[in-house]
Amino acid sequence: MRRLFPVPVPAPAETLAKTPAETSAEGSGATPAETSVETPVETSAATPAGISAETTVGEDREWALGELADAYAYPEPPHGPSGAYLRANMVSSLDGAAHHDGRSKALSSDADMRIFGVLRGLADAVVVGAETVRREGYRPARAREAFAERRAALGQSPAPAIAVVSASLDLDFTQPLFTEPLVPTIVITGATAGEERIEAARAAGTEVVFAGSGPSGRVDAAAIVTALAELGHTRLLTEGGPTLLAEFAAAGVLDELCLAVAPLVTAGDAKRITNGPVLGEPERFTLASVLEEAGFLFTRYRRIYQ
């Protein structure tokens, strides 16, 4: 894996620190070559977060999980308008497909899955739509030793909670996501969810959260973020699907988009990473970083707040 953006900016030659031997050579009139002291390699004058001064620009190497965690760290404290910080992680083909044959796995790679795991390892809660849970066969998040110390220092649970968004609560509560979580699964629903389904969810040990009071029964995207923040989940990660991500974007609560672009063309009529009503005005984001491995681009965009 190599970093394409941001890259360290080499310091001007005249501002590079000189070694004592070089300083002595200047005073004696000798040239640096005559002192047999090697000139230091230039490093960044201002190294961006997540890049070590020793890293060669564009160097292709395997990144440790800790390096990836530093590169994708949440701002502290999370500073979205809601008091939480909502990050999305999605993958897309070159021609804009969010999945192939109904699942995103065909568009993924080993590097994509490493970053997927890192993003989960940093989050308080992972927010996902019910259809994506069903299609992708979601299981509980697991605790990983690589993130244990970091999570403990931030007061996080050993693994992120999975928060499933479903207006109808049409979910199979006998699945491992609900019966075997390390951290209790959360279900987020609206005002018209059936009492029987609510009781089934609670009987399975899930925490039921209401986000939206309108007669339509729809779950309000902005209320999801607020409700999770009130539970202490301020570092949020959504993995879609496209309908839920579109709702977050339309509600103005999407703070960051981590988009993996796969070097694949699928054609067909698959959804884009967002699938919903058009925004009144396009939301502006700025590029924060780009990593590359085996032709996959791992981009990170942060929202520009007006």
Side-chain angles (χ1 to χ4, degrees):
M1 179 174 288
R2 59 193 178 117
R3 183 186 291 275
L4 302 183
F5 179 85
V7 294
V9 180
E14 63 271 16
T15 66
L16 291 175
K18 296 182 176 63
T19 66
E22 288 176 308
T23 303
S24 174
E26 285 183 356
S28 66
T31 66
E34 291 172 326
T35 67
S36 299
V37 176
E38 294 183 1
T39 303
V41 176
E42 293 185 6
T43 58
S44 169
T47 304
I51 306 177
S52 68
E54 292 78 16
T55 298
T56 303
V57 178
E59 179 186 2
D60 193 359
R61 60 186 178 83
E62 184 174 347
W63 284 42
L65 289 179
E67 287 182 282
L68 285 171
D70 289 342
Y72 282 94
Y74 281 83
E76 293 295 339
H79 60 250
S82 62
Y85 191 89
L86 177 63
R87 160 188 287 165
N89 182 35
M90 301 292 283
V91 63
S92 170
S93 68
L94 288 177
D95 53 341
H99 58 80
H100 182 64
D101 197 24
R103 300 188 65 185
S104 61
K105 184 177 181 180
L107 304 180
S108 188
S109 68
D110 289 344
D112 183 45
M113 293 310 298
R114 286 202 306 274
I115 292 174
F116 173 92
V118 167
L119 295 182
R120 281 195 166 196
L122 298 174
D124 295 335
V126 178
V127 190
V128 63
E131 181 59 28
T132 298
V133 166
R134 289 188 287 264
R135 182 188 304 123
E136 302 281 355
Y138 262 59
R139 299 183 65 85
R142 58 189 178 91
R144 298 181 63 185
E145 183 61 32
F147 304 106
E149 185 176 346
R150 186 185 298 261
R151 294 185 68 85
L154 293 172
Q156 295 176 299
S157 57
I162 304 294
V164 183
V165 181
S166 175
S168 67
L169 293 185
D170 181 17
L171 298 163
D172 183 354
F173 294 113
T174 67
Q175 292 297 306
L177 177 60
F178 303 102
T179 61
E180 302 174 6
L182 180 63
V183 178
T185 296
I186 300 168
V187 291
I188 304 174
T189 193
T192 61
E195 191 62 34
E196 181 181 340
R197 298 307 299 162
I198 294 172
E199 289 305 315
R202 287 176 173 157
T206 66
E207 182 170 6
V208 180
V209 172
F210 294 92
S213 57
S216 69
R218 291 185 63 82
V219 181
D220 180 79
I224 292 172
V225 176
T226 301
L228 289 172
E230 289 174 351
L231 292 176
H233 301 311
T234 56
R235 303 171 190 86
L236 302 178
L237 170 67
T238 181
E239 296 168 352
T243 300
L244 180 61
L245 183 54
E247 292 172 356
F248 281 135
V253 293
L254 180 63
D255 299 297
E256 182 178 307
L257 174 62
C258 297
L259 175 62
V261 181
L264 303 169
V265 172
T266 69
D269 57 358
K271 295 176 181 178
R272 295 157 46 195
I273 64 166
T274 57
N275 185 63
V278 65
L279 276 64
E281 292 291 335
E283 195 74 65
R284 182 78 178 181
F285 286 69
T286 186
L287 182 64
S289 68
V290 182
L291 304 177
E292 185 273 339
E293 182 171 304
F296 284 77
L297 296 179
F298 302 99
T299 69
R300 184 181 183 193
Y301 288 87
R302 286 178 172 167
R303 180 181 170 196
I304 298 175
Y305 299 102
Q306 303 301 323

